Amino acid sequence: KLILLDSLLQEIKMKWMSGLLFLVTLASVSYGEDLVENGDFDNGLEGWAHNLCSATIEDGAVHIFDRENRFYGIYQHLNTTRLSEIYTPLHLSFSAKSNIDTSLAWKLMVLKNYQYQFFTMAEWDSKADNWESLNATFKIPEFIRGSARVKFYLDADQDVEYWLDDIVLQPMEDNMSKYEVEP
């Protein structure tokens, strides 16, 4: 890796000396890599966990009900190494509906250095019995880098039943860190 860095620095120096505007691109995770496993629930609840609630597959979507408090429901632990390699915002898309008019939010619960922090990725007002296809952009907080655990979950009031389908979480563009240098 030192050899690659040395040759990259030599290339930067040569281009700097020639007076050209240039772009250095360092690749990490490739574009389109879905960070959520089985977000379409085609394989049932594989890749997902749920706590103190009931979860069933209905018409290809997951139905969450009988929740004991607002934090209980379906969730997935995301790969912290993969998240730490991403330097572009994430794009979250999904379909959802609820049994009552309510506010719902996709959140991340992050454990790092024996401390938890919570981050809201997307929040919206859901209308009763109305499927919605939604999109959100989320910038990865620096706190996530080097974390021990990242839990991806939907936050809703305790009495809310909800349905989810087609959940995709991926880097927004070719996941490249770009540094532009002008002489």
Side-chain angles (χ1 to χ4, degrees):
K1 290 187 175 184
L2 288 175
I3 294 170
L4 289 173
L5 181 59
D6 186 52
S7 65
L8 178 63
L9 290 174
Q10 287 179 4
E11 183 180 335
I12 290 171
K13 185 177 179 184
M14 288 179 3
K15 291 191 180 211
W16 179 270
M17 292 172 69
S18 70
L20 299 173
L21 175 67
F22 66 99
L23 194 63
V24 177
T25 307
L26 305 171
S28 56
V29 177
S30 64
Y31 173 73
E33 181 179 7
D34 194 351
L35 302 173
V36 170
E37 182 182 340
N38 190 31
D40 57 10
F41 302 99
D42 284 350
N43 295 318
L45 291 171
E46 182 179 314
W48 294 91
H50 56 91
N51 54 352
L52 299 175
C53 71
S54 296
T56 61
I57 302 298
E58 298 174 3
D59 298 322
V62 65
H63 176 200
I64 307 298
F65 55 101
D66 292 336
R67 298 170 47 248
E68 293 196 16
N69 85 28
R70 75 175 302 116
F71 301 107
Y72 296 152
I74 194 167
Y75 66 92
Q76 195 169 115
H77 291 291
L78 301 179
N79 183 312
T80 57
T81 302
R82 287 165 62 195
L83 283 173
S84 293
E85 295 171 346
I86 298 171
Y87 289 91
T88 60
L90 296 177
H91 179 254
L92 172 64
S93 62
F94 57 96
S95 296
K97 79 172 181 174
S98 59
N99 64 326
I100 59 175
D101 289 357
T102 189
S103 180
L104 300 172
W106 278 109
K107 293 191 176 184
L108 297 176
M109 181 178 74
V110 181
L111 172 63
K112 183 177 181 180
N113 300 327
Y114 305 103
Q115 295 180 336
Y116 284 101
Q117 283 196 19
F118 296 84
F119 300 95
T120 300
M121 298 180 72
E123 192 168 13
W124 74 100
D125 292 326
S126 179
K127 301 295 179 203
D129 299 318
N130 183 34
W131 274 104
E132 297 175 276
S133 294
L134 301 158
N135 293 281
T137 302
F138 178 75
K139 185 173 187 245
I140 298 174
E142 193 59 37
F143 186 81
I144 286 178
R145 300 189 197 293
S147 60
R149 178 170 286 176
V150 177
K151 181 179 178 180
F152 173 67
Y153 70 99
L154 189 76
D155 183 37
D157 287 335
Q158 178 180 342
D159 57 342
V160 175
E161 291 183 28
Y162 56 85
W163 292 258
L164 300 169
D165 201 6
D166 301 320
I167 303 164
V168 176
L169 179 64
Q170 61 193 149
M172 278 187 61
E173 57 182 55
D174 288 351
N175 189 37
M176 305 285 190
S177 299
K178 295 179 181 177
Y179 301 92
E180 202 170 275
V181 180
E182 281 188 58

